[in-house]
């Protein structure tokens, strides 16, 4: 790892919280572009960060990898078949995107607006706006609008249709009990 990238990675890792890491990326101009309200959980600066644009209202979960290059050239160059340069590509993430835990975003990919990408997904091609994507490779399983409807407050029940915590990163004993009750209820029904 080059010294500049190593120092940027140390600086990123020292930022407490995903919002501060997003601000750090923007303030230090590490990526080609970082918009407003970007939350960035990873603590590693990707190779060639200048090839990455993150627009507004984005959450990048822990373990996400942005792959801006193809290192297969190293094998080809070792085969005495001529010289092969390193191939690079850009990544652009539009507004209102959640990239789930441990995803891989490959080079030459544009992720549209209003998208949820499930954990461990691998994005190998452009993702159209207004979708929920999962898998390897990532494929669309639903619409963003349907996802939003499922997440909204339900006035008929006077609450949400899933367990919640009142304060981010803190769970009360009662909230934990309710989550376990919901967990067990869904298994009793089967």
């Amino acid at each position: 790892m080059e010294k500049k990238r190593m120092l940027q990675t140390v600086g990123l890792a020292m930022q407490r919280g995903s919002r501060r890491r997003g601000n750090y990326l923007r303030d230090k101009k590490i990526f080609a572009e970082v918009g407003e309200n970007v939350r960035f959980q990873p603590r590693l600066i990707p190779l060639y960060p200048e090839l990455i644009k993150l627009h507004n209202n984005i959450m990048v979960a822990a373990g996400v990898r942005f792959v801006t290059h193809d290192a297969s050239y190293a094998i080809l160059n070792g085969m005495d078949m001529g010289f092969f340069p390193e191939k690079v590509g850009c990544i652009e993430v539009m507004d209102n995107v959640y990239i789930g835990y441990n995803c891989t975003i490959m080079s030459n990919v544009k992720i549209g607006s209003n998208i949820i990408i499930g954990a461990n997904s691998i994005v190998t091609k452009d993702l159209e706006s207004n979708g929920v994507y999962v898998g390897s490779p990532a494929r669309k399983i639903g619409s963003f609008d349907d996802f939003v409807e499922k997440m909204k407050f339900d006035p008929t029940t006077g609450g949400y249709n899933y367990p919640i915590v009142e304060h981010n990163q803190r769970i009360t004993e009662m909230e934990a009990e309710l989550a376990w009750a919901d967990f067990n209820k869904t298994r009793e029904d089967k």
Side-chain angles (χ1 to χ4, degrees):
M1 182 181 292
E2 286 190 9
K3 183 178 178 180
K4 176 182 175 185
R5 186 166 157 237
M6 184 171 37
L7 291 173
Q8 290 172 335
T9 296
V10 170
L12 182 71
M14 292 177 60
Q15 304 304 309
R16 290 190 55 200
S18 61
R19 191 176 305 276
R20 287 186 180 167
R21 282 189 287 282
N23 291 340
Y24 176 83
L25 293 172
R26 183 179 53 256
D27 296 346
K28 299 294 183 182
K29 298 181 180 1
I30 295 171
F31 286 6
E33 182 180 323
V34 176
E36 296 298 318
N37 196 31
V38 171
R39 289 161 293 198
F40 194 83
Q41 283 290 353
R43 288 167 174 79
L44 179 66
I45 301 292
L47 188 59
Y48 310 128
E50 305 89 342
L51 301 178
I52 300 169
K53 288 184 179 182
L54 303 176
H55 290 267
N56 301 306
N57 197 35
I58 295 170
M59 173 64 173
V60 179
V64 171
R65 290 166 307 283
F66 292 94
V67 181
T68 57
H69 68 290
D70 179 350
S72 63
Y73 75 96
I75 299 302
L76 299 175
N77 286 338
M79 295 176 63
D80 196 29
M81 296 171 42
F83 174 75
F84 297 88
E86 183 176 12
K87 180 181 172 185
V88 297
C90 299
I91 297 170
E92 186 170 21
V93 181
M94 303 310 286
D95 296 342
N96 310 317
V97 174
Y98 172 78
I99 303 174
Y101 176 79
N102 219 27
C103 286
T104 300
I105 313 300
M106 299 303 293
S107 61
N108 285 321
V109 164
K110 182 174 183 176
I111 297 172
S113 296
N114 302 332
I115 287 184
I116 304 292
I117 304 172
N120 290 309
S121 296
I122 300 178
V123 179
T124 60
K125 62 183 181 179
D126 291 359
L127 301 183
E128 291 182 22
S129 294
N130 192 32
V132 177
Y133 294 85
V134 298
S136 176
R139 62 182 173 72
K140 188 173 184 177
I141 61 163
S143 79
F144 184 84
D145 295 337
D146 289 344
F147 177 81
V148 170
E149 285 304 312
K150 289 178 188 174
M151 298 298 285
K152 283 184 176 177
F153 182 83
D154 184 353
T156 61
T157 64
Y160 295 91
N161 294 318
Y162 49 88
I164 64 166
V165 293
E166 202 57 40
H167 299 285
N168 186 21
Q169 297 191 5
R170 285 183 274 155
I171 190 166
T172 67
E173 188 175 319
M174 178 179 273
E175 290 167 339
E177 287 174 15
L178 291 171
W180 279 110
D182 183 73
F183 178 85
N184 291 325
K185 179 183 179 281
T186 59
R187 277 135 190 92
E188 290 169 3
D189 294 342
K190 292 180 182 180

